[in-house]
Amino acid sequence: MSSASGEKYDIKKFLNIGSTEEFMWNSLLNLLKNTKCLISSLKSSIENDNLEFSLLIEQSERRVLDRFLELKDNKKNIAGGLVEMEKQNLLKVYSSPDVYRPLKNSLNHDLREVSSETE
């Protein structure tokens, strides 16, 4: 460090190990003697942690359920599309099999993906 006048100072901090160690041991012993306070603090901490954990689990379950319902709706829509496509194929709506086959393959692929993710 240096001062405004440009003089350099050597600042060192000293720690009296003996008195610091005595202070630490006395603090620890006082804490251990007051078991009611320690137990109360631990119980409170555990209850808070359990509450936070429960909330996290609940949020995760909600997200999974929402995703499952979304996939279920997608699967229903794809299956309905397949049925409609087959019906139109039987009624000869498609001009050629080259139009029908790629549509069917695409919908079947989508259905397999959605079914796999649902499982």
Side-chain angles (χ1 to χ4, degrees):
M1 289 185 67
S2 62
S3 69
S5 64
E7 296 176 10
K8 292 191 176 190
Y9 296 100
D10 187 17
I11 297 176
K12 293 182 181 179
K13 295 182 180 180
F14 293 95
L15 182 65
N16 186 336
I17 294 176
S19 61
T20 303
E21 190 174 83
E22 182 181 345
F23 172 76
M24 292 297 294
W25 278 113
N26 287 336
S27 298
L28 182 61
L29 288 173
N30 286 334
L31 177 66
L32 292 175
K33 285 179 186 177
N34 191 357
T35 57
K36 288 181 183 179
C37 180
L38 185 60
I39 290 170
S40 171
S41 177
L42 285 172
K43 280 183 180 178
S44 175
S45 176
I46 290 170
E47 287 170 358
N48 288 340
D49 288 347
N50 284 341
L51 179 61
E52 288 177 25
F53 183 70
S54 295
L55 290 174
L56 286 174
I57 293 294
E58 191 176 305
Q59 289 172 350
S60 295
E61 287 174 345
R62 201 174 306 123
R63 280 194 304 270
V64 168
L65 181 60
D66 289 346
R67 180 66 177 147
F68 176 73
L69 293 174
E70 179 185 337
L71 289 171
K72 190 176 172 183
D73 286 344
N74 287 348
K75 187 175 180 180
K76 182 179 176 182
N77 291 337
I78 293 169
L82 276 167
V83 168
E84 184 63 30
M85 187 196 59
E86 289 295 338
K87 184 171 94 176
Q88 290 186 7
N89 185 47
L90 291 173
L91 296 172
K92 307 281 189 216
V93 172
Y94 298 112
S95 57
S96 76
D98 294 335
V99 174
Y100 163 76
R101 269 189 247 120
L103 286 173
K104 182 178 179 179
N105 289 340
S106 176
L107 285 173
N108 279 327
H109 173 73
D110 291 348
L111 185 62
R112 280 192 301 274
E113 282 187 352
V114 169
S115 295
S116 174
E117 191 174 346
T118 301
E119 291 174 12

